Amino acid sequence: MDERIREHADVLVDWSARVEAGDNVVLSVGPDAHELAVAVAEKLGERGANLLATYSSGEVTRAYLRAHDDEFDENPSHERALMEETDVYLSIRGGRNTSATADVPGETRTAHRQARDEIREARYDTRWVSTVHPNRSLAQQANMAYEEYQEFAYDAILRDWESLADEMANMKELLDEGSEVRLVSEGTDLTMTIEGRTAVNSAASVAYDSHNLPSGEVFTAPAATEGEVTFDVPMTLRGEAVRNVRLEFEDGAVVDYDADQGADVIGDILDADEGARRLGELGIGMNRGIDRYTDNILFDEKMGDTIHLALGRAYDACLPEGETGNDSAVHVDMITDVSEASRLEIDGEVVQRDGQFRWNWEDE
């Protein structure tokens, strides 16, 4: 086994999920994630955790959803009970076809997600972490040779996370103390309220309220969004290519949208429910180990010189106790490049210009 796979497993179990002896762990394994699953299972056995491994396949999901009549039972009790008894939920993605569910109708996806909201919330109550095992389908999606993609992925995953957490704490402090954020770049002039919100230093560990490996972003839950934004980073949403999305906000909600490609996909997302037209996340990418677009949101949204916004659900970690943020069955991230001709302001003060942060200027 490639030693990097064992290192990946170590980071996932120890740093990210903080697994302890006696924890009930569900390990969801993609079709091509076998090697990482083996390494993780070994690590969990050494730790004395209780393991249940499940199989997760886009092709299986496609077969089920396309055959269904869309009248899904709400929150099936067997799946809900499993999540309620789970301490740690680990998802290892590694499908054979990144577009396996591309021909599942949008209304079917939405109906299925809405029927499982209690299960989803129960999973969010676990120490859940999602990661990816670098495989050939992801390499192909990223337009890389397999070996090249492996190098890229492990550069992003096997980082000095404590050091990166210390750097990202600078941005968390600025967001925590701020009231209004303004993002300005080509095709974008957007203001958002962040007063009273708590930013998350997403350092790839549940100890930081962070649930992705790799991570490397600082995010918060904005409100009262006004203006327009262009997302110029290529992406695949729901199995379809989407390019140059443009959104216009008034009174916190999307009132107009367009895209050079994939506008119908954006329309389906916006029509999912009322909360899908509002922002649930503002995220600032700070992982310099991610240095190119790969058409995989798990990596791309963490890349340095980018900012991403998510339509839909806001994360509770960003909200004061007792306050409810934007609620939706969807959470869809879209990314804009801020490496040139851009600035990010907090309460009128520029904190990032052309991708470079204020503390970097002060060190020069």
Side-chain angles (χ1 to χ4, degrees):
M1 181 182 291
D2 187 328
E3 189 58 33
R4 294 173 299 183
I5 298 174
R6 297 190 187 280
E7 293 178 32
H8 189 172
D10 288 344
V11 174
L12 179 62
V13 172
D14 291 336
W15 172 262
S16 295
R18 307 295 169 105
V19 177
E20 301 175 353
D23 277 342
N24 294 330
V25 181
V26 172
L27 177 64
S28 175
V29 183
D32 280 354
H34 174 79
E35 285 189 301
L36 180 56
V38 169
V40 170
E42 182 178 41
K43 186 75 176 177
L44 293 172
E46 293 172 351
R47 186 58 45 84
N50 304 312
L51 170 63
L52 173 65
T54 64
Y55 180 73
S56 177
S57 162
E59 293 177 358
V60 171
T61 299
R62 173 188 180 274
Y64 173 70
L65 293 181
R66 283 183 58 84
H68 207 284
D69 62 6
D70 290 4
E71 295 295 327
F72 297 100
D73 289 347
E74 291 191 7
N75 302 298
S77 58
H78 71 298
E79 189 176 358
R80 182 173 57 193
L82 174 62
M83 287 297 98
E84 289 173 348
E85 294 297 324
T86 298
D87 298 306
V88 178
Y89 183 90
L90 304 177
S91 174
I92 304 177
R93 306 178 199 173
R96 295 171 181 168
N97 178 2
T98 58
S99 299
T101 60
D103 60 351
V104 177
E107 57 269 22
T108 301
R109 300 169 188 263
T110 299
H112 185 239
R113 284 186 60 85
Q114 290 176 336
R116 301 176 72 256
D117 59 340
E118 292 179 12
I119 294 169
R120 187 166 54 253
E121 292 302 319
R123 178 166 60 83
Y124 288 147
D125 286 339
T126 71
R127 302 200 302 279
W128 65 275
V129 182
S130 179
T131 192
V132 64
H133 180 58
N135 62 14
R136 287 174 170 80
S137 67
L138 293 172
Q140 185 175 31
Q141 185 177 22
N143 198 29
M144 293 186 201
Y146 175 48
E147 292 79 7
E148 179 188 16
Y149 183 75
Q150 286 180 304
E151 293 287 344
F152 162 82
Y154 290 124
D155 280 348
I157 293 167
L158 305 179
R159 295 188 60 82
D160 181 347
W161 288 107
E162 289 192 62
S163 177
L164 184 55
D166 289 343
E167 179 187 358
M168 293 194 300
N170 294 305
M171 179 55 70
K172 171 178 164 55
E173 182 178 359
L174 291 171
L175 291 170
D176 284 346
E177 295 176 353
S179 299
E180 183 179 83
V181 172
R182 184 184 181 196
L183 174 62
V184 179
S185 62
E186 185 174 355
T188 297
D189 192 343
L190 198 70
T191 58
M192 297 157 276
T193 297
I194 57 169
E195 187 169 7
R197 300 297 168 89
T198 300
V200 171
N201 179 347
S202 187
S205 174
V206 296
Y208 290 85
D209 284 318
S210 175
H211 301 276
N212 289 334
L213 177 66
S215 194
E217 61 169 308
V218 179
F219 66 86
T220 191
T225 309
E226 297 285 343
E228 60 185 7
V229 57
T230 298
F231 300 103
D232 54 1
V233 175
M235 67 194 87
T236 298
L237 297 177
R238 301 187 172 182
E240 297 188 38
V242 176
R243 301 290 184 268
N244 292 320
V245 176
R246 295 173 290 278
L247 302 179
E248 182 179 348
F249 288 84
E250 290 182 6
D251 296 327
V254 175
V255 295
D256 196 15
Y257 70 93
D258 195 7
D260 290 353
Q261 184 177 357
D264 290 345
V265 178
I266 301 302
D268 286 343
I269 292 167
L270 293 170
D271 290 340
D273 50 44
E274 184 177 352
R277 289 184 171 266
R278 297 179 179 273
L279 290 182
E281 180 187 358
L282 158 67
I284 296 130
M286 299 181 66
N287 187 336
R288 299 290 179 181
I290 304 172
D291 59 0
R292 69 190 83 179
Y293 309 129
T294 64
D295 202 15
N296 182 338
I297 194 65
L298 182 65
F299 289 87
D300 294 352
E301 69 172 1
K302 317 302 192 312
M303 182 170 53
D305 294 348
T306 67
I307 288 176
H308 60 276
L309 302 169
L311 293 168
R313 186 183 191 276
Y315 292 120
D316 291 342
C318 299
L319 306 169
E321 186 174 354
E323 182 174 330
T324 300
N326 190 46
D327 188 28
S328 175
V330 303
H331 181 95
V332 178
D333 296 282
M334 291 179 281
I335 311 167
T336 185
D337 187 328
V338 295
S339 61
E340 297 180 355
S342 72
R343 67 182 188 274
L344 180 70
E345 302 175 1
I346 298 179
D347 297 336
E349 182 179 357
V350 177
V351 299
Q352 183 187 34
R353 178 180 286 111
D354 301 341
Q356 296 302 308
F357 297 102
R358 187 176 73 184
W359 53 88
N360 296 133
W361 313 335
E362 294 171 349
D363 290 340
E364 292 179 354

Short mmCIF file of all heavy atoms in Angstrom, two decimals, residues 1 7 36 38 124 147 174 192 202 207 221 224 234 280 316-317 350:
data_model
loop_
_atom_site.label_atom_id
_atom_site.label_comp_id
_atom_site.label_asym_id
_atom_site.label_seq_id
_atom_site.Cartn_x
_atom_site.Cartn_y
_atom_site.Cartn_z
N MET A 1 0.84 -1.20 0.00
CA MET A 1 0.00 0.00 0.00
C MET A 1 0.88 1.26 0.00
O MET A 1 1.87 1.32 0.74
CB MET A 1 -0.93 0.00 1.22
CG MET A 1 -1.86 1.20 1.29
SD MET A 1 -2.92 1.19 2.77
CE MET A 1 -4.00 -0.19 2.40
N GLU A 7 -1.03 7.50 5.80
CA GLU A 7 -0.97 8.83 6.39
C GLU A 7 -2.33 9.52 6.31
O GLU A 7 -2.75 10.21 7.25
CB GLU A 7 0.10 9.66 5.68
CG GLU A 7 1.52 9.19 5.90
CD GLU A 7 2.53 10.03 5.14
OE1 GLU A 7 2.28 11.24 4.96
OE2 GLU A 7 3.55 9.49 4.68
N LEU A 36 -8.11 3.09 0.85
CA LEU A 36 -8.20 4.00 1.99
C LEU A 36 -9.14 3.43 3.05
O LEU A 36 -8.87 3.56 4.25
CB LEU A 36 -8.68 5.38 1.54
CG LEU A 36 -8.83 6.43 2.65
CD1 LEU A 36 -7.53 6.61 3.42
CD2 LEU A 36 -9.30 7.76 2.07
N VAL A 38 -9.57 0.31 3.77
CA VAL A 38 -8.81 -0.72 4.48
C VAL A 38 -7.89 -0.07 5.53
O VAL A 38 -7.81 -0.51 6.69
CB VAL A 38 -7.99 -1.58 3.50
CG1 VAL A 38 -6.99 -2.46 4.25
CG2 VAL A 38 -8.91 -2.44 2.65
N TYR A 124 -25.51 15.36 10.90
CA TYR A 124 -24.76 16.56 11.26
C TYR A 124 -24.48 16.63 12.76
O TYR A 124 -23.58 17.37 13.18
CB TYR A 124 -25.51 17.80 10.81
CG TYR A 124 -25.51 18.05 9.32
CD1 TYR A 124 -26.60 18.65 8.69
CD2 TYR A 124 -24.43 17.69 8.53
CE1 TYR A 124 -26.61 18.87 7.31
CE2 TYR A 124 -24.42 17.91 7.17
CZ TYR A 124 -25.51 18.51 6.57
OH TYR A 124 -25.51 18.73 5.21
N GLU A 147 -1.16 9.75 -11.69
CA GLU A 147 -0.07 9.99 -10.74
C GLU A 147 0.05 11.47 -10.39
O GLU A 147 0.33 11.82 -9.25
CB GLU A 147 1.25 9.46 -11.31
CG GLU A 147 1.32 7.94 -11.43
CD GLU A 147 0.59 7.41 -12.65
OE1 GLU A 147 0.12 8.23 -13.49
OE2 GLU A 147 0.46 6.17 -12.77
N LEU A 174 -11.15 38.61 12.15
CA LEU A 174 -11.68 39.75 11.41
C LEU A 174 -13.18 39.58 11.13
O LEU A 174 -13.96 40.52 11.26
CB LEU A 174 -10.92 39.92 10.10
CG LEU A 174 -9.46 40.38 10.21
CD1 LEU A 174 -8.78 40.28 8.85
CD2 LEU A 174 -9.39 41.81 10.73
N MET A 192 -22.82 41.91 2.23
CA MET A 192 -23.48 40.93 3.08
C MET A 192 -23.32 41.33 4.54
O MET A 192 -22.26 41.83 4.93
CB MET A 192 -22.85 39.54 2.89
CG MET A 192 -22.98 38.97 1.49
SD MET A 192 -21.70 37.72 1.12
CE MET A 192 -20.34 38.80 0.62
N SER A 202 -11.89 26.53 9.47
CA SER A 202 -12.10 25.18 8.97
C SER A 202 -10.76 24.50 8.70
O SER A 202 -10.27 24.45 7.58
CB SER A 202 -12.95 25.21 7.70
OG SER A 202 -13.30 23.90 7.30
N ALA A 207 -12.76 19.41 15.86
CA ALA A 207 -12.40 20.29 16.97
C ALA A 207 -12.52 21.76 16.59
O ALA A 207 -12.63 22.63 17.45
CB ALA A 207 -10.98 19.99 17.44
N ALA A 221 -21.84 32.66 8.01
CA ALA A 221 -23.20 32.62 7.45
C ALA A 221 -23.69 34.05 7.24
O ALA A 221 -24.06 34.73 8.20
CB ALA A 221 -24.15 31.87 8.39
N ALA A 224 -28.83 39.33 4.55
CA ALA A 224 -29.13 40.64 3.96
C ALA A 224 -28.23 40.94 2.76
O ALA A 224 -27.66 42.03 2.64
CB ALA A 224 -29.01 41.74 5.01
N PRO A 234 -14.99 27.19 -13.24
CA PRO A 234 -15.80 26.11 -13.82
C PRO A 234 -16.18 25.08 -12.76
O PRO A 234 -15.41 24.80 -11.84
CB PRO A 234 -14.88 25.49 -14.87
CG PRO A 234 -13.87 26.55 -15.17
CD PRO A 234 -13.68 27.31 -13.90
N GLY A 280 -26.27 30.78 2.33
CA GLY A 280 -26.03 30.12 3.60
C GLY A 280 -24.58 30.16 4.03
O GLY A 280 -24.25 29.83 5.17
N ASP A 316 -25.05 25.59 11.52
CA ASP A 316 -25.36 26.04 12.87
C ASP A 316 -24.14 26.57 13.59
O ASP A 316 -24.25 27.42 14.48
CB ASP A 316 -25.97 24.89 13.68
CG ASP A 316 -27.36 24.51 13.19
OD1 ASP A 316 -27.99 25.32 12.49
OD2 ASP A 316 -27.82 23.39 13.52
N ALA A 317 -22.95 26.07 13.23
CA ALA A 317 -21.72 26.51 13.91
C ALA A 317 -21.48 28.01 13.76
O ALA A 317 -20.76 28.60 14.56
CB ALA A 317 -20.53 25.74 13.37
N VAL A 350 -10.12 47.21 3.72
CA VAL A 350 -9.69 46.14 2.83
C VAL A 350 -8.85 45.13 3.63
O VAL A 350 -7.85 45.50 4.25
CB VAL A 350 -8.86 46.69 1.65
CG1 VAL A 350 -8.35 45.54 0.78
CG2 VAL A 350 -9.70 47.65 0.81
#
